[in-house]
Amino acid sequence: MAINYTVRHVDRAEVRDFIESHHYSHSINGLKVAHCFGLYDGDRMVGAMLYGGLAMANAWKKYGNSEAEVLELRRLVLIDDTPRNSESFFIGHTLRWLRKNTEVKTIVSYADPNYGHSGVIYRATNFEHVGMTSPGRVIMHNGKKYHDKAIRAKYKGKLKPFAKELRQALAEGKAEYVKQLPKHIYVYNLRE
């Protein structure tokens, strides 16, 4: 089956609702976003992807000589009824766009086994598996998972309201830390 989709470089606002509806994280809050892409069947969005700075401070140093040389594929999601190979089609188009339109040299992405992901799509698109992260932990509160750094989230030097709420819930035993499996780390070199 031929894939007749188009890939467009779009604004964050254009992909926000799609990602928050279809991606397992249901959020793009707090992400450093540099480039957004939509996958379209005519005018209907069937996929979305975000690239941005690496989540962990100074992690770029493992992969490049400057922070500007390294991007992380932060979100990738397609609706379930897309044809086989749609993900690799989408990733391939975005990588070619980044190579042509930016100075980025390296793309990093993570596959999270806590959600059943091993990185099959990254291997299929020639990313190299370079190891595993350290095991992590999340905060479980009211049935939702929060990254453990959520309790330190600030705006203009003050803790955000949800950070205060999480801290209080932890102190009162209404929230708890839960250990997470290490994530698979994948790297794609755009330029040698």
Side-chain angles (χ1 to χ4, degrees), residues 35-85:
H35 299 283
C36 304
F37 294 92
L39 181 67
Y40 293 86
D41 183 4
D43 289 331
R44 185 183 94 157
M45 184 178 289
V46 296
M49 194 177 325
L50 300 178
Y51 289 92
L54 273 68
M56 300 302 292
N58 297 318
W60 62 265
K61 292 179 180 180
K62 296 178 193 172
Y63 308 106
N65 295 318
S66 72
E67 194 169 3
E69 290 182 357
V70 184
L71 282 180
E72 180 180 335
L73 195 168
R74 302 298 306 267
R75 295 287 188 270
L76 168 61
V77 61
L78 279 68
I79 60 173
D80 289 336
D81 65 351
T82 56
R84 185 177 178 181
N85 299 322

Side-chain angles (χ1 to χ4, degrees), residues 14-114:
E14 193 165 336
V15 296
R16 175 186 284 280
D17 290 344
F18 185 90
I19 292 172
E20 292 182 349
S21 294
H22 298 284
H23 191 267
Y24 66 85
S25 71
H26 301 290
S27 177
I28 65 169
N29 289 336
L31 295 183
K32 299 179 203 173
V33 177
H35 299 283
C36 304
F37 294 92
L39 181 67
Y40 293 86
D41 183 4
D43 289 331
R44 185 183 94 157
M45 184 178 289
V46 296
M49 194 177 325
L50 300 178
Y51 289 92
L54 273 68
M56 300 302 292
N58 297 318
W60 62 265
K61 292 179 180 180
K62 296 178 193 172
Y63 308 106
N65 295 318
S66 72
E67 194 169 3
E69 290 182 357
V70 184
L71 282 180
E72 180 180 335
L73 195 168
R74 302 298 306 267
R75 295 287 188 270
L76 168 61
V77 61
L78 279 68
I79 60 173
D80 289 336
D81 65 351
T82 56
R84 185 177 178 181
N85 299 322
S86 295
E87 291 93 346
S88 54
F89 170 87
F90 192 17
I91 290 172
H93 273 266
T94 65
L95 293 174
R96 286 188 292 280
W97 189 95
L98 290 168
R99 186 180 296 119
K100 181 179 177 185
N101 296 288
T102 74
E103 298 300 317
V104 173
K105 293 182 178 180
T106 306
I107 305 296
V108 179
S109 197
Y110 301 89
D112 193 342
N114 297 288

Side-chain angles (χ1 to χ4, degrees), residues 114-189:
N114 297 288
Y115 291 95
H117 300 163
S118 64
V120 171
I121 190 59
Y122 300 128
R123 288 190 302 275
T125 50
N126 296 317
F127 278 69
E128 178 185 355
H129 188 271
V130 296
M132 304 291 286
T133 65
S134 299
R137 65 183 187 167
V138 295
I139 300 169
M140 291 299 298
H141 179 53
N142 291 335
K144 281 187 75 177
K145 282 185 183 181
Y146 296 88
H147 193 282
D148 69 341
K149 68 182 178 183
I151 62 171
R152 297 182 297 281
K154 293 182 178 181
Y155 179 70
K156 294 187 177 180
K158 294 185 179 183
L159 284 176
K160 290 185 173 185
F162 78 88
K164 289 179 184 178
E165 180 185 332
L166 283 176
R167 284 178 179 220
Q168 184 174 349
L170 284 165
E172 295 173 354
K174 295 178 181 176
E176 65 180 343
Y177 285 104
V178 177
K179 291 182 181 179
Q180 298 287 281
L181 297 169
K183 296 177 185 178
H184 298 273
I185 307 168
Y186 287 91
V187 173
Y188 185 92
N189 292 312

